[in-house]
């Protein structure tokens, strides 16, 4: 199990390095005046980002739904990247190791969602609310360690 933990932490570090290849200025605007993050998910060496949008009857409902969608987007990215990185480490392992790894991975993503911050919101002319959320990349290894110890 210790070997499993070390390999998983190494994969998390790899994820952090891959996610910070370039940096996006989240204050940039598109030609139509909308924030750049409404058309491309930002990348950074410090943060992982998620983007969501919603258009409901009220603005506050739209904001809550857009925030939730942005968190789901971020969680999906974390899961996909972790799964891609970890599958190469365990391609030769048995099914039980893969199941344990996936369980810890889900726990890690669930823990990560507790530390998500809404960075920005933007409302389009049609009433659609967009949300940008972030999570500090450096917190992933500690979260995994907590999940692995449970």
């Amino acid at each position: 199990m210790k070997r499993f933990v070390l390999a998983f932490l190494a994969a998390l570090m790899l994820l952090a390095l891959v996610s910070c290849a370039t940096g996006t200025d989240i204050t940039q605007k598109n030609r139509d005046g909308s924030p750049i993050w409404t058309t491309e998910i930002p990348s950074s060496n410090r943060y992982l980002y998620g983007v969501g949008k919603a258009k409901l009857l009220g603005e506050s409902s739209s904001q809550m739904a857009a925030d939730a969608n942005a968190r789901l987007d971020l969680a999906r990215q974390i899961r996909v990247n972790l799964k891609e990185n970890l599958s190469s480490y365990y391609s030769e392992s048995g099914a039980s190791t893969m199941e344990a790894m996936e369980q810890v991975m889900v726990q890690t993503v669930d823990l990560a969602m507790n530390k998500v911050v809404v960075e920005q919101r933007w409302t389009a002319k049609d009433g659609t609310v967009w949300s940008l959320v972030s999570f500090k990349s450096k917190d992933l290894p500690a979260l995994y360690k907590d999940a692995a110890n449970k």
Side-chain angles (χ1 to χ4, degrees):
M1 185 66 177
K2 197 168 202 169
R3 189 186 254 180
F4 170 75
V5 170
L6 291 173
F8 196 87
L9 287 173
L12 286 174
M13 292 301 171
L14 180 62
L15 169 65
L17 289 173
V18 169
S19 68
C20 64
T22 62
T24 304
D25 179 5
I26 61 173
T27 62
Q28 281 187 315
K29 304 281 185 197
N30 291 314
R31 289 181 190 230
D32 65 357
S34 63
I36 191 73
W37 52 264
T38 61
T39 55
E40 71 177 68
I41 295 175
S43 60
S44 167
N45 60 349
R46 293 183 182 173
Y47 299 96
L48 298 171
Y49 290 102
V51 175
K53 67 178 184 172
K55 183 179 176 185
L56 301 174
L57 293 178
E59 187 173 350
S60 64
S61 298
S62 295
Q63 286 180 350
M64 287 190 310
D67 292 352
N69 289 335
R71 283 183 175 90
L72 287 171
D73 180 51
L74 179 61
R76 181 193 55 77
Q77 289 178 59
I78 292 171
R79 282 188 182 119
V80 167
N81 286 326
L82 286 175
K83 201 168 213 173
E84 286 174 359
N85 289 322
L86 293 173
S87 63
S88 64
Y89 285 105
Y90 292 99
S91 61
E92 298 163 10
S93 331
S96 61
T97 302
M98 188 60 92
E99 288 170 16
M101 178 183 66
E102 287 180 3
Q103 182 180 5
V104 171
M105 184 173 60
V106 169
Q107 290 172 348
T108 302
V109 173
D110 290 345
L111 287 169
M113 293 299 102
N114 293 330
K115 293 190 170 197
V116 170
V117 175
V118 176
E119 290 286 337
Q120 293 182 21
R121 285 194 193 103
W122 178 75
T123 304
K125 290 178 185 175
D126 70 354
T128 302
V129 175
W130 292 77
S131 291
L132 174 68
V133 298
S134 68
F135 176 79
K136 290 181 181 176
S137 301
K138 69 178 185 175
D139 290 343
L140 274 174
L143 289 175
Y144 169 72
K145 198 172 187 179
D146 290 346
N149 290 331
K150 287 185 178 181

